[in-house]
Amino acid sequence: MKRSAITLSTLLLTALLLVGCGQKGPLYLPDDTNDSAAEQEG
């Protein structure tokens, strides 16, 4: 029983790590204002 719990925990941890690798995008919350985007285009 203990072995199956360790195996299940290992599989769950591996799955969570692999799902996290696919996340793309900024690691911060962007500002609500679009002032910086207008400056970069112009």
Side-chain angles (χ1 to χ4, degrees):
M1 184 70 182
K2 188 174 183 179
R3 182 179 176 125
S4 63
I6 292 172
T7 303
L8 180 64
S9 298
T10 303
L11 289 174
L12 182 62
L13 180 61
T14 303
L16 288 174
L17 288 173
L18 288 175
V19 168
C21 290
Q23 300 297 323
K24 298 190 186 222
L27 297 177
Y28 60 91
L29 293 174
D31 294 334
D32 289 336
T33 60
N34 290 332
D35 295 336
S36 61
E39 291 175 5
Q40 289 177 357
E41 291 177 6

